[in-house]
Amino acid sequence: MSKHWQELVPVDSYEISSNGLLHDYDRKVIALLYQPLIGSIPLSLYVTFWSELEQNRIWSSGYSFHRGLMNVMSLNLGEIYEARKKLEGIGLLKVWRKKSSDNQHFIYELQPPLTPEEFFQDGMLNIYLHKRLGKQHYQKLKEFFSDKIVDEKEFEPVTKSFSEVFISGQMESLYVSDESKDDLRPEPSHQYIGRQEGSSPSGFEESFDFSLFFAGLSSTFISKKSFSSKVKEAIAKIAFLYGINPLQMQGLVLRSVDENKEINIEALRKNARDWYQIEYQDDLPTLAERVQPPHLHSLTSEPKNEEEKHIRHLETVSPLKRLKELSGGAEPSKSDITIVEGIMMNQQLPPGVVNVLIEYVMIKTDMKLTKGYVDKIAGHWARKNIKTVKEAMDLAKKENQQYLSWQEEKKTKQDKSSRQKKVVRQEYIPDWMSENNISEPSSAGEELSPELEQKRKELEEKIKRLKKR
């Protein structure tokens, strides 16, 4: 994938359109349901684009330039580009481009959000939102976007029909000639303004290996004709959400076939959810449970050495599971999971790359995940467009000294009492060996035994040698 400066530059122009009229109610949907998933900057970009549309129109009044957008939002072009990609990925923006010899011209078409009912029944967005906000906040949003149902059985319908209210006079003036029919249509270069439906995120089929899935699926149990585009999209989406590989998905699909040998999508969702709860002893998945998609694997053949075996492991394990492995099987803390999900969501780093980042940081920081340090390295890797485990490993080795200086810089800022710049230690010194933790005689009158005195001197000399290194 290209860097942002290869995609657009400040002098590139753009204009805004919308796929139908956007309503004021859409602002609440985007702010309360979409913003927790995409962040505040993409939301701000969407609203800024929206503000460029004339009232009750679906096109902006003229061209604008990205330089002006940078000034308005007080953001650099890279930040705007990353925010734009998130809007595209979640289904709120479509982008069209026209190249010329001098520059490029873009059309940014705003897409309406899903209705609250569609969002809460999406099967993926609602699950991520629940995990992001928690049960209590999620329930409040459901109540906010719903209202009571009136029992119509208690009432008698008395609404008048059109024919009961109006009559049609059979007048000659009602006749419309063929020539006049054109008056009833919009101009060829125009369209009527209306309200369009929102769309869910797409593109999941690219990351699911359908060839492997179909290879192990017998046609005697289910015909390939049953796999319509809607069914395949649902399979790929569910696999993405729950981290299900093609072989595991085969069994789930077979258990979701109805009496007509058709795939029941709702049954498939339930079976996948049940599988997930048994596999992970949890109710809902997080982003940290995703694994590296097959098209981003570094290895195309079986591993031949220990390093390649480790790469394969990082490509096939989720960041959450890798955290557990590095913690000796203990459940990661909520704060650690939040940090990992944050870099996956905000920096758009693939799961395998996140695994390398977790390993690197925990090794360098005595098995601790520090948000500021993690975010700084994650941002660097995102700007470098790191997508594979091998690329992440190579960059970590190359930039190791730089990352160590960032770590030391952070420690120096946190230590307000120290004014001296610390040197990165090349060898680990346990806390019990520090000078502050070495006991001294409690009074001048107390003396150590010759054996203890000798040990004390040897320990002091060892500490001095370690510090000199």
Side-chain angles (χ1 to χ4, degrees):
M1 194 175 292
S2 302
K3 308 284 192 302
H4 75 268
W5 58 82
Q6 296 174 326
E7 294 290 331
L8 75 164
V9 294
V11 296
D12 287 339
S13 59
Y14 69 88
E15 54 188 322
I16 307 298
S17 70
S18 66
N19 185 14
L21 279 180
L22 297 173
H23 298 170
D24 185 60
Y25 191 65
D26 294 331
R27 297 181 191 271
K28 293 184 178 181
V29 174
I30 296 172
L32 297 178
L33 301 183
Y34 282 82
Q35 183 177 202
L37 301 181
I38 61 177
S40 58
I41 295 180
L43 170 70
S44 178
L45 180 62
Y46 188 96
V47 173
T48 302
F49 283 159
W50 191 349
S51 67
E52 293 192 33
L53 295 175
E54 294 186 44
Q55 188 174 9
N56 298 326
R57 309 300 298 174
I58 60 174
W59 280 92
S60 56
S61 58
Y63 292 177
S64 300
F65 293 92
H66 286 85
R67 183 191 295 110
L69 183 63
M70 293 162 61
N71 294 333
V72 168
M73 298 190 68
S74 297
L75 297 173
N76 61 50
L77 198 57
E79 292 171 319
I80 290 174
Y81 180 65
E82 291 301 319
R84 194 192 90 181
K85 287 197 300 183
K86 290 184 181 180
L87 292 177
E88 295 170 37
I90 208 163
L92 291 176
L93 184 70
K94 287 187 177 179
V95 181
W96 313 89
R97 178 175 62 185
K98 180 173 69 174
K99 290 185 176 182
S100 65
S101 57
D102 298 330
N103 58 10
Q104 303 177 109
H105 180 69
F106 291 87
I107 294 177
Y108 294 141
E109 184 183 70
L110 299 177
Q111 305 298 308
L114 296 171
T115 65
E117 180 180 5
E118 291 170 335
F119 191 100
F120 284 112
Q121 295 180 356
D122 178 72
M124 185 184 73
L125 296 178
N126 56 335
I127 291 177
Y128 282 146
L129 184 67
H130 186 285
K131 200 68 178 182
R132 174 73 68 177
L133 300 180
K135 182 178 179 180
Q136 186 175 3
H137 192 173
Y138 182 85
Q139 192 62 34
K140 284 184 178 179
L141 283 178
K142 281 181 64 178
E143 294 173 359
F144 179 83
F145 285 107
S146 60
D147 214 331
K148 63 181 181 180
I149 298 175
V150 177
D151 187 1
E152 296 181 354
K153 295 179 180 178
E154 299 178 0
F155 296 84
E156 176 188 358
V158 294
T159 306
K160 303 294 184 183
S161 67
F162 184 90
S163 61
E164 290 178 296
V165 178
F166 301 99
I167 60 172
S168 181
Q170 305 299 318
M171 297 180 294
E172 185 180 349
S173 59
L174 291 178
Y175 172 75
V176 179
S177 64
D178 292 339
E179 292 80 8
S180 300
K181 287 182 180 178
D182 291 338
D183 297 337
L184 303 179
R185 304 188 185 98
E187 294 296 325
S189 60
H190 287 63
Q191 62 178 330
Y192 287 121
I193 298 174
R195 170 69 175 176
Q196 304 297 325
E197 294 183 357
S199 58
S200 298
S202 58
F204 300 102
E205 294 183 45
E206 299 174 2
S207 60
F208 186 78
D209 191 348
F210 274 103
S211 59
L212 178 59
F213 171 76
F214 285 123
L217 199 64
S218 174
S219 59
T220 57
F221 292 105
I222 183 170
S223 171
K224 279 194 175 183
K225 294 180 180 179
S226 301
F227 293 93
S228 63
S229 57
K230 183 179 180 181
V231 170
K232 291 179 68 175
E233 181 184 3
I235 289 173
K237 195 172 183 179
I238 291 170
F240 174 89
L241 174 62
Y242 292 104
I244 302 172
N245 65 44
L247 299 180
Q248 293 166 334
M249 181 59 75
Q250 290 171 2
L252 296 176
V253 168
L254 289 174
R255 293 203 297 271
S256 306
V257 178
D258 59 22
E259 60 276 7
N260 299 319
K261 290 193 174 182
E262 297 291 332
I263 300 171
N264 187 317
I265 295 177
E266 285 305 315
L268 178 60
R269 286 198 179 101
K270 183 181 184 304
N271 289 332
R273 190 162 56 247
D274 292 344
W275 171 88
Y276 176 84
Q277 290 174 339
I278 295 172
E279 188 79 8
Y280 294 100
Q281 294 83 46
D282 201 355
D283 56 345
L284 294 174
T286 67
L287 285 174
E289 284 150 5
R290 288 174 49 196
V291 296
Q292 187 83 343
H295 69 280
L296 292 180
H297 283 193
S298 303
L299 303 177
T300 57
S301 59
E302 286 300 311
K304 298 176 181 177
N305 51 48
E306 289 303 317
E307 182 177 345
E308 289 187 354
K309 288 179 181 178
H310 189 57
I311 290 174
R312 174 61 56 84
H313 179 63
L314 296 182
E315 291 176 338
T316 54
V317 69
S318 69
L320 182 61
K321 190 171 182 180
R322 189 63 188 135
L323 270 175
K324 289 181 182 178
E325 292 174 349
L326 291 171
S327 304
E331 288 292 329
S333 66
K334 272 193 173 182
S335 60
D336 285 351
I337 295 175
T338 301
I339 291 172
V340 171
E341 286 195 333
I343 60 177
M344 292 181 72
M345 175 68 74
N346 300 326
Q347 304 294 350
Q348 298 289 295
L349 291 179
V353 175
V354 174
N355 285 336
V356 180
L357 178 55
I358 290 172
E359 283 191 351
Y360 178 84
V361 172
M362 292 189 77
I363 290 172
K364 296 298 181 182
T365 57
D366 194 18
M367 305 305 287
K368 297 176 184 176
L369 284 183
T370 307
K371 186 177 186 305
Y373 187 45
V374 171
D375 286 346
K376 197 162 187 177
I377 298 177
H380 183 230
W381 289 9
R383 289 190 296 273
K384 288 281 190 178
N385 201 37
I386 302 301
K387 295 297 180 185
T388 69
V389 170
K390 187 69 167 60
E391 290 173 350
M393 285 181 166
D394 291 343
L395 186 62
K397 294 174 185 176
K398 180 181 177 182
E399 302 290 346
N400 177 60
Q401 196 58 43
Q402 176 66 55
Y403 298 157
L404 289 176
S405 68
W406 288 350
Q407 178 190 355
E408 198 60 33
E409 179 184 345
K410 183 175 180 62
K411 287 181 181 178
T412 304
K413 289 180 180 178
Q414 290 177 342
D415 187 7
K416 295 181 180 180
S417 62
S418 175
R419 300 298 179 184
Q420 295 181 350
K421 185 177 179 181
K422 299 178 182 179
V423 179
V424 179
R425 296 188 300 184
Q426 300 300 319
E427 186 169 347
Y428 174 70
I429 301 177
D431 290 338
W432 62 267
M433 291 177 62
S434 64
E435 289 181 320
N436 294 334
N437 290 334
I438 298 176
S439 300
E440 295 288 340
S442 57
S443 66
E446 294 181 38
E447 293 184 358
L448 298 175
S449 65
E451 294 81 3
L452 290 177
E453 180 64 20
Q454 180 63 30
K455 288 184 178 180
R456 185 181 70 82
K457 290 181 179 180
E458 291 175 356
L459 187 57
E460 285 180 344
E461 290 297 319
K462 187 174 183 181
I463 293 173
K464 288 178 181 179
R465 288 197 301 272
L466 288 173
K467 286 187 174 181
K468 287 180 181 178
R469 295 182 188 178

